[in-house]
Amino acid sequence: MSTLRFNALKETLNRKPVEIEEKGRRSELFGNNVFNEHAMLQHLTKDAYKSVMNAIEFGTKIDRKIADHISTGMKEWAIGKGATHYTHWFQPLTGATAEKHDAFFETIGNGRAMEKFGGGQLVQQEPDASSFPNGGIRNTFEARGYTAWDPTSPAFIYGTTLCIPTIFVAYTGEALDNKAPLLRALHAVDTAATAVCKYFDKNVTKVNASLGWEQEYFLIDSALASARPDITLTGRTLLGHSPAKGQQLDDHYFGSIPNRVMSYMRDLEQECMLLGIPVKTRHNEVAPNQFELAPIFEEANLAVDHNSLLMDVMEKIAQRHQFKVLFHEKPFAGINGSGKHNNWSLATNTGVNLLSPGKTPMKNLQFLTFFVNTIKAVHDNEELIRAAIASASNDHRLGANEAPPAIISVFIGSQLSAVLDELENVTKGKLSPQEKTDLKLNIVGKIPEILLDNTDRNRTSPFAFTGNKFELRAVGSWSNCAGPMTVLNTIIAKQLKDFKVEVDKLVAEKDLKKDEAVFNILREYIKDSKKIRFEGNGYGEAWEKEAKKRGLSNNKTTPEALKAQISQKAFDLYEEMDVMSKIEVEARHEIELEEYILRIQIEGRVLGDIARNHVIPTAIRYQNTLIENVSGLKEIFGNDFKKLAAEQIDLIEKISAHIAGINSKVNAMTDERKKANKLEGQKAAEAYCNKVKPYFEEIRYHSDKLELLVDDEIWPLVKYRELLFTR
């Protein structure tokens, strides 16, 4: 095994950056492999083009006859670009993407063939989907699941395959994917936000949720990664002593990008341009060999698709550059993990960002309306947001030894807090002309000036306002953005819907003017949601005590957090907003619990295997060398050998103690795993969390101590210093 380690290091040190040929200006490459508006104008009839655009903008259905025209144009475009196959590209509840490729090729008899792709094949497919997670929605013998075209996310070519973004539903109609609930949530927030916008601008007919994700990741040489069974099987290191130098000098963050990594990034960015993924930013992150890329904001559904596609593309490009991409939230102990910050906002079809103040008091009142309603929605549903970001891998960040914490809070900055505090004291009921003028000019009117110098300064908040958007920082780097975005847009939709009902009631029953009614309701919301706002350091024991005093939840583990998904409150919310049925919610809860159990189970088995089959034999081998040395000293020096061999004897004793520690802890962990395997659902997840997982650190402790004691020449596992600092 040590030979494998040193061979991997030798191979890594001989790597050269892959030469990347620039294919042209980024602006010229952008969207070349996407069936976008430009491509549709060239390859579709006028009626077909109009039908697709109406489906995108208004959600209208596409007639099957028109679908035949669209499929013909799409096929000719794809074949013209070298495509030989097509696939319905979907996002099952595994969190990854799925695809089954079919060739355009069809035989037509008499030894002849043709390329065929009809409207029926475009609009709907029927994959054998029995092996995808379904949470009990259907039995294995009821294998049918349907994929249905989502025209709001354009088709694209990757390699030689035309990929058609689709939703995935069961035979009985329930969603079996991440996209269908997201689309419903986006429709709900569009409906609710548009209705509220009409208080301020009658011309608004549509509101889109926008999303800008920031993808953090580690790049490790593929040879080094392959020499670590834990990285190969779990995506993270289960063992490994921290190197003397980690991230404490802050010399990696925003530093010069290593040559091999730069080559990888250039290759990746060119592929992204062709696929219409508008990546713009790249840089070194805080930890060694950790990096980040971020795109320009897009409509939320498209942004989610692009992030899912990006993660696939990143892994494929990495293979060309002999890299392994690690998306795990905490692949290395003792240094920063990786997140996927979700920057969210709402924008109207008239070009207004609803979370950005305007030039008039009325525009700023509109901003305040959406700003305060967002805070209120998060306050009322903080446990549901925590559940949406819960996973076995993200638990290493949330509520562990890294910001952001598991406690959901909202950071808006001291100056905006002062604005809300002033609004909290607005007179109840009708406003005097003087008060209304003072309010609009001196409080609401000055919001744009306040925001000029009030950008985000708090990196510990899981949900922060950053000038013209809210940033949900607690999403894990391995996660599909669809889950958190479904929850966020659903709770905002519900909140805006309730807000409109309350405003309309005040206007009708209390004879208040519209702006007075808005101020009255916002004042109550500010009071009701005050405890979720926190301007201090949202990390550490002091904040945990404060949060407990405020009545905020602190669900540190996934089994704890996921309970919120199946509360009556959650069922009612999803059903009222037509986002998910109770069956769909329960299915997702069951799938996420099962995934948690399986991930901890796999990690436990891998850890036991490495500890017993790699670490202990190596320690015994080195111990035998020490024993031979002590025996030789005794033979030469007789009774004086104890004085000369004191260090060696001490090492032998320490190694024996750590070997015994590993063996006993692995046995105990295995016994607990067997007990957990007899349980189901919540009880099984809690057993794995509270009974099995605690042994991981105890086994690691003994192994990492042995790493410091055993001869480096025979240690089998690639060390942290090699994984993190080999360029």
Side-chain angles (χ1 to χ4, degrees), residues 27 38 57 108 310 318 326 341 350 416 606 634 641 695 709:
S27 58
H38 177 70
E57 292 176 23
I108 56 174
L310 173 92
L326 301 184
H341 299 176
T350 57
L416 276 173
V606 171
K634 183 178 181 181
F641 89 97
Y695 284 108
L709 299 175

Side-chain angles (χ1 to χ4, degrees), residues 573-605:
L573 168 71
Y574 287 123
E575 290 189 331
E576 179 185 343
M577 303 315 295
D578 290 325
V579 171
M580 283 187 281
S581 66
K582 184 179 179 181
I583 292 172
E584 289 171 319
V585 175
E586 288 175 330
R588 276 154 181 75
H589 177 258
E590 184 179 321
I591 288 165
E592 289 181 40
L593 274 181
E594 183 69 15
E595 183 187 359
Y596 179 86
I597 293 164
L598 292 174
R599 286 199 182 277
I600 303 298
Q601 183 187 82
I602 290 167
E603 287 190 353
R605 293 176 67 183

Side-chain angles (χ1 to χ4, degrees), residues 558-569:
T558 292
E560 269 185 280
L562 291 181
K563 290 177 184 177
Q565 289 181 329
I566 52 169
S567 65
Q568 190 59 49
K569 179 182 175 182

Side-chain angles (χ1 to χ4, degrees), residues 67-351:
D68 285 331
H69 293 299
I70 296 168
S71 63
T72 300
M74 194 182 286
K75 178 194 70 176
E76 293 306 314
W77 169 80
I79 291 173
K81 286 190 167 287
T84 58
H85 289 68
Y86 65 91
T87 182
H88 274 201
W89 183 82
F90 58 104
Q91 299 169 45
L93 295 173
T94 58
T97 60
E99 52 198 66
K100 183 187 77 165
H101 298 193
D102 286 303
F104 290 120
F105 170 84
E106 291 276 357
T107 57
I108 56 174
N110 299 321
R112 293 181 299 161
M114 64 179 291
E115 276 72 32
K116 186 179 178 183
F117 180 60
Q121 293 160 308
L122 167 65
V123 172
Q124 184 176 300
Q125 293 281 286
E126 188 181 320
D128 179 359
S130 57
S131 295
F132 287 116
N134 61 72
I137 285 178
R138 69 192 197 291
N139 297 312
T140 301
F141 65 84
E142 295 168 329
R144 277 186 293 178
Y146 295 100
T147 50
W149 177 36
D150 170 20
T152 64
S153 185
F156 58 90
I157 294 170
Y158 190 57
T160 58
T161 304
L162 170 66
C163 300
I164 303 155
T166 58
I167 62 168
F168 180 41
V169 296
Y171 174 69
T172 46
E174 290 90 2
L176 296 172
D177 68 342
N178 288 297
K179 182 187 270 280
L182 174 64
L183 289 172
R184 296 172 193 160
L186 294 174
H187 175 70
V189 83
D190 171 21
T191 302
T194 299
V196 172
C197 279
K198 289 190 180 294
Y199 286 146
F200 309 98
D201 184 356
K202 299 290 185 185
N203 295 315
V204 174
T205 57
K206 186 172 179 59
V207 173
N208 282 321
S210 63
L211 169 64
W213 39 261
E214 301 167 30
Q215 181 70 58
E216 294 177 340
Y217 62 100
F218 282 83
L219 277 182
I220 307 300
D221 188 89
S222 57
L224 299 181
S226 296
R228 291 280 312 214
D230 47 1
I231 290 178
T232 301
L233 296 174
T234 72
R236 76 179 182 106
T237 56
L238 299 171
L239 304 169
H241 196 279
S242 296
K245 180 180 182 294
Q247 64 188 46
Q248 61 266 51
L249 295 178
D250 296 322
D251 54 348
H252 188 255
Y253 190 54
F254 278 23
S256 177
I257 298 172
N259 289 338
R260 279 185 66 202
V261 176
M262 179 60 82
S263 178
Y264 165 78
M265 287 179 170
R266 287 174 58 206
D267 199 359
L268 173 63
E269 286 167 357
Q270 288 199 108
E271 196 65 53
C272 285
M273 289 299 105
L274 292 169
L275 291 168
I277 306 173
V279 293
K280 187 175 178 67
T281 304
R282 65 188 183 200
H283 63 83
N284 290 1
E285 254 302 329
V286 174
N289 274 349
Q290 186 187 32
F291 308 94
E292 180 182 299
L293 83 162
I296 296 169
F297 280 54
E298 298 181 285
E299 184 275 325
N301 176 44
L302 183 58
V304 168
D305 280 1
H306 277 166
N307 184 252
S308 297
L309 175 59
L310 173 92
M311 293 171 76
D312 287 343
V313 174
M314 285 176 74
E315 291 183 327
K316 288 173 182 175
I317 299 291
Q319 292 171 12
R320 290 209 289 258
H321 294 257
Q322 288 81 49
F323 278 128
K324 170 76 173 174
V325 183
L326 301 184
F327 290 116
H328 194 288
E329 284 79 3
K330 194 76 170 178
F332 301 100
I335 63 172
N336 274 24
S338 298
K340 176 150 47 192
H341 299 176
N342 277 213
N343 296 278
W344 171 90
S345 190
L346 294 171
T348 69
N349 63 310
T350 57

Side-chain angles (χ1 to χ4, degrees), residues 283-558:
H283 63 83
N284 290 1
E285 254 302 329
V286 174
N289 274 349
Q290 186 187 32
F291 308 94
E292 180 182 299
L293 83 162
I296 296 169
F297 280 54
E298 298 181 285
E299 184 275 325
N301 176 44
L302 183 58
V304 168
D305 280 1
H306 277 166
N307 184 252
S308 297
L309 175 59
L310 173 92
M311 293 171 76
D312 287 343
V313 174
M314 285 176 74
E315 291 183 327
K316 288 173 182 175
I317 299 291
Q319 292 171 12
R320 290 209 289 258
H321 294 257
Q322 288 81 49
F323 278 128
K324 170 76 173 174
V325 183
L326 301 184
F327 290 116
H328 194 288
E329 284 79 3
K330 194 76 170 178
F332 301 100
I335 63 172
N336 274 24
S338 298
K340 176 150 47 192
H341 299 176
N342 277 213
N343 296 278
W344 171 90
S345 190
L346 294 171
T348 69
N349 63 310
T350 57
V352 175
N353 178 353
L354 295 171
L355 289 174
S356 183
K359 296 179 181 178
T360 66
M362 187 56 78
K363 286 293 182 187
N364 294 331
L365 183 55
Q366 177 176 269
F367 158 75
L368 272 175
T369 295
F370 286 91
F371 180 68
V372 173
N373 272 283
T374 300
I375 296 170
K376 178 72 161 54
V378 172
H379 170 272
D380 292 354
N381 299 278
E382 43 101 1
E383 286 196 273
L384 204 54
I385 293 175
R386 173 64 183 93
I389 54 177
S391 69
S393 51
N394 209 19
D395 279 358
H396 292 281
R397 295 172 64 237
L398 307 178
N401 298 316
E402 192 169 326
I407 303 162
I408 301 298
S409 65
V410 178
F411 172 85
I412 62 173
S414 57
Q415 289 169 297
L416 276 173
S417 284
V419 170
L420 296 195
D421 289 343
E422 289 192 67
L423 287 170
E424 192 179 335
N425 298 315
V426 171
T427 302
K428 189 172 184 179
K430 288 189 177 183
L431 305 175
S432 69
Q434 178 60 39
E435 189 176 18
K436 190 181 285 192
T437 301
D438 185 61
L439 187 66
K440 289 186 175 180
L441 291 181
N442 296 327
I443 299 177
V444 179
K446 290 184 177 179
I447 289 173
E449 297 166 31
I450 288 170
L451 290 184
L452 284 175
D453 191 38
N454 190 46
T455 53
D456 167 46
R457 297 186 186 93
N458 190 334
R459 308 304 294 173
T460 65
S461 172
F463 196 79
F465 183 68
T466 57
N468 59 2
K469 61 188 182 299
F470 279 98
E471 183 176 8
L472 179 56
R473 289 208 185 94
V475 180
S477 54
W478 220 347
S479 299
N480 185 313
C481 299
M485 283 298 102
T486 297
V487 170
L488 184 58
N489 285 288
T490 301
I491 65 174
I492 301 295
K494 163 67 172 165
Q495 180 56 50
L496 291 171
K497 181 183 175 185
D498 291 348
F499 170 77
K500 187 172 188 304
V501 169
E502 291 187 64
V503 170
D504 289 348
K505 186 177 180 182
L506 276 187
V507 171
E509 296 181 5
K510 302 293 184 182
D511 194 30
L512 294 183
K513 288 201 161 85
K514 179 182 60 185
D515 55 352
E516 290 176 326
V518 168
F519 277 125
N520 271 261
I521 300 301
L522 292 183
R523 181 196 61 236
E524 297 306 312
Y525 286 176
I526 290 166
K527 290 178 183 176
D528 294 345
S529 61
K530 202 165 186 177
K531 71 180 183 182
I532 200 77
R533 286 163 35 207
F534 184 64
E535 302 305 311
N537 179 16
Y539 177 58
E541 288 184 17
W543 168 228
E544 288 196 17
K545 288 179 182 177
E546 173 65 19
K548 187 176 182 181
K549 193 192 303 181
R550 294 184 182 199
L552 299 176
S553 67
N554 185 10
N555 297 322
K556 291 189 175 183
T557 68
T558 292

